[in-house]
Amino acid sequence: MAFNNKEEWLKEFTEFSKFDTTDVKVPAMAFENLKKRLFPNPWTVFGKIAVIHAVLGFLSLAVCNQFGLNPFQTDQSLTNWFMKVAGHNFCMLLCGTFFMATTFVFANLFLSLEELESIKRYEWLQTGIMGLVSLAAFYYFGAELVGTFVALWILGALIGGLLSVEGSYRLRRSFT
Amino acid sequence: MSKDLEAKSDEELMENYQMGNVAAFDILFHRHSARVQGFLSQRMGKKKDSHDLLQEVFFKLHRSKHQYNSTLPFAPWLFSITRSVLLDYAKKKNLEDPIDAKDLDQVSSEKHEPIENDLSEVLAALPQTQRQAVQLRVYDDETFEEIAARLATSPDNARQLVSRGLKKLREILGRKEG
């Protein structure tokens, strides 16, 4: 419903701006609830992302084996292609990027815009911790982690994480 | 909350908030929530719902913060958000009054032809606000809350305006028939 003319708009706006607020009581709960909704606890969001990452990261091993881990015994994998196209070092970098980026791109489906904002506020921390935890998991499942490759993989994971967090957030915001 | 921030204008605070300063949002909320709450309560009459809508207004402000141009005044922007939240609420509620619905049916079915012919003449006989209220209800199919928002009155008053207007219309049309 639009205003019929400027006078109508001005009349109502004047009423709004000159509203006598002496007797108006805003409950403290309104502010607290709003803050919880706008700025969700970063640890809660991290927990959700960790679950999404655990599931997606595991599934992504079917199309992109990390450090030789191939739980689904697939013959062809993006890793082979990365290796052919860019060599071993770049392969590690691209593997890290892919592994981390899938999580944050898919997180769009499960998280609210405010939760994505929360990740964005701590993107270095979230991506870094997630990368290190993933490496620990790979090690636990028998991957052989070698110094340079690990460094390149972490670098790729950070690049993939940061770019996908930013991209996911912008994409989501444009549709909200 | 820092005193530096508190001394800032609304526009400067919004600029700060756009850059990620959450404390600026807190100040904006404390500065304007009572006005928004009061305005909403006056339009809606239901306190509990107005508390929910107050949160909705600031939630919407947060979501559209990147669209705010800090060279423009903040108050009209906040007012637009408040009003759009209020109208969304009114549309969602879409409250119907069975008595008024019956009245509308009577007027439109029994007197269909004469109404169409003499409508402007008959409506002109009503006082301006009553006429506007009836027109919004009958032609635009608006809810009482939407009418209230449009006529800057309460939903109860809007309901009364429509009801009295329809009653008067029936009397006029009755006299014409007679």
Side-chain angles (χ1 to χ4, degrees), chain A residues 6-175:
Chain A
K6 275 185 185 172
E7 284 75 29
E8 261 184 42
W9 185 91
L10 197 63
K11 186 184 159 210
E12 209 169 321
F13 173 62
T14 311
E15 199 185 315
F16 173 78
S17 34
K18 292 189 176 161
F19 197 91
D20 181 15
T21 57
T22 332
D23 296 329
V24 182
K25 293 266 182 297
V26 178
M29 195 62 105
F31 183 61
E32 284 159 23
N33 290 344
L34 180 69
K35 288 287 291 235
K36 273 185 205 157
R37 208 169 146 200
L38 294 183
F39 309 107
N41 185 322
W43 285 107
T44 312
V45 180
F46 182 78
K48 286 185 185 181
I49 277 286
V51 172
I52 295 170
H53 184 61
V55 175
L56 277 171
F58 179 66
L59 292 177
S60 78
L61 293 178
V63 289
C64 187
N65 314 147
Q66 308 283 334
F67 297 98
L69 289 179
N70 189 356
F72 300 99
Q73 302 299 319
T74 45
D75 294 333
Q76 288 296 318
S77 144
L78 272 177
T79 323
N80 299 333
W81 186 69
F82 289 157
M83 198 80 91
K84 268 186 217 157
V85 173
H88 208 148
N89 287 348
F90 262 106
C91 171
M92 294 314 294
L93 193 81
L94 292 173
C95 276
T97 306
F98 178 83
F99 189 70
M100 200 55 77
T102 45
T103 295
F104 290 107
V105 169
F106 275 90
N108 253 321
L109 299 173
F110 307 101
L111 302 181
S112 70
L113 183 68
E114 286 63 40
E115 286 173 324
L116 287 175
E117 263 177 351
S118 164
I119 297 172
K120 209 170 153 297
R121 241 171 263 135
Y122 304 96
E123 54 192 357
W124 282 96
L125 199 62
Q126 299 251 14
T127 317
I129 293 176
M130 207 72 76
L132 292 174
V133 170
S134 304
L135 279 176
F138 293 152
Y139 183 73
Y140 178 80
F141 288 112
E144 285 179 28
L145 305 180
V146 183
T148 321
F149 291 156
V150 168
L152 284 169
W153 189 91
I154 273 285
L155 180 67
L158 282 174
I159 293 171
L162 298 179
L163 287 180
S164 59
V165 166
E166 192 63 40
S168 298
Y169 173 70
R170 281 170 189 251
L171 183 77
R172 186 66 174 277
R173 203 178 67 178
S174 63
F175 285 106

Side-chain angles (χ1 to χ4, degrees), chain B residues 123-140:
Chain B
L123 279 170
L126 299 178
Q128 197 199 348
T129 328
Q130 234 171 47
R131 184 171 67 241
Q132 276 181 309
V134 170
Q135 282 175 327
L136 290 169
R137 184 83 181 107
V138 178
Y139 292 146
D140 301 340

Side-chain angles (χ1 to χ4, degrees), chain B residues 17 21 26-27 34 70 72 86 105 110 125 132 143-144 146 153 155 174 177:
Chain B
Y17 187 43
N21 188 343
D26 297 357
I27 297 174
S70 58
L72 298 173
L86 188 63
D105 286 346
E110 290 169 17
Q132 276 181 309
T143 65
F144 294 113
E146 285 173 320
T153 185
E177 285 285 295

